[in-house]
Amino acid sequence: MKGKYLFVYGTLMKGMNAYELLAGTGARFVAEASIQGRLYDVGDYPAVVKVNEADASVAGELFVATDATMAAVDEYERYRPEDARSLFVREVTTASRKDNGEVVDAWAYFYNQSQRGRLSPAKRIKSGNYRLAKAN
């Protein structure tokens, strides 16, 4: 999987509490970016729900990820591909780079739709920006 993109939108972003996990695996920051989705604050972390709405955008960061990065982030996100009850699912989505507008395919972690009931007390972050929401 060498050289694939990873989009992060919450605690794994630069300056956030879990960023060192990425840095320690050789992941390389590329650019600020965005994906389509709705962002929710579920307490200690955010979650993105996939939607097909043009005005639903989530801000985050794009990294070049190594196999070690993906394994560490899978563990951190409690993603287990063989478990339908996994809290998050990892899927390829399109990410738009903020610096040059380039659209690239990137791995991202989405809230598992089959676990949707867990989002009921969650608050939607209408700005789509977790860093901004946490600063306020």
Side-chain angles (χ1 to χ4, degrees):
M1 199 211 84
K2 190 170 178 136
K4 301 292 183 187
Y5 288 115
L6 170 66
F7 176 84
V8 298
Y9 52 84
T11 59
L12 291 166
M13 291 189 296
K14 292 190 311 180
M16 301 300 279
N17 65 326
Y19 170 69
E20 291 305 317
L21 177 85
L22 286 182
T25 63
R28 183 178 51 84
F29 176 78
V30 175
E32 291 182 357
S34 63
I35 63 170
Q36 192 174 35
R38 282 194 187 144
L39 185 64
Y40 291 87
D41 185 343
V42 285
D44 293 334
Y45 54 88
V48 171
V49 173
K50 290 176 75 170
V51 294
N52 290 322
E53 300 169 11
D55 63 342
S57 179
V58 175
E61 298 173 345
L62 197 62
F63 288 82
V64 172
T66 65
D67 289 338
T69 302
M70 297 309 296
V73 176
D74 282 352
E75 183 65 27
Y76 178 76
E77 299 288 6
R78 293 174 280 173
Y79 167 62
R80 300 192 179 32
E82 69 286 348
D83 185 355
R85 296 171 301 161
S86 183
L87 184 60
F88 288 93
V89 293
R90 177 167 44 97
E91 297 180 6
V92 174
T93 190
T94 55
S96 299
R97 290 178 57 160
K98 190 174 177 181
D99 60 345
N100 64 12
E102 180 184 9
V103 176
V104 298
D105 288 338
W107 287 109
Y109 292 82
F110 294 95
Y111 185 73
N112 188 345
Q113 294 295 321
S114 70
Q115 303 298 316
R116 180 166 248 165
R118 291 187 194 172
L119 273 181
S120 58
K123 179 182 174 189
R124 182 169 177 210
I125 300 173
K126 292 182 181 177
S127 69
N129 188 316
Y130 184 71
R131 187 188 311 277
L132 183 64
K134 285 300 178 186
N136 293 326

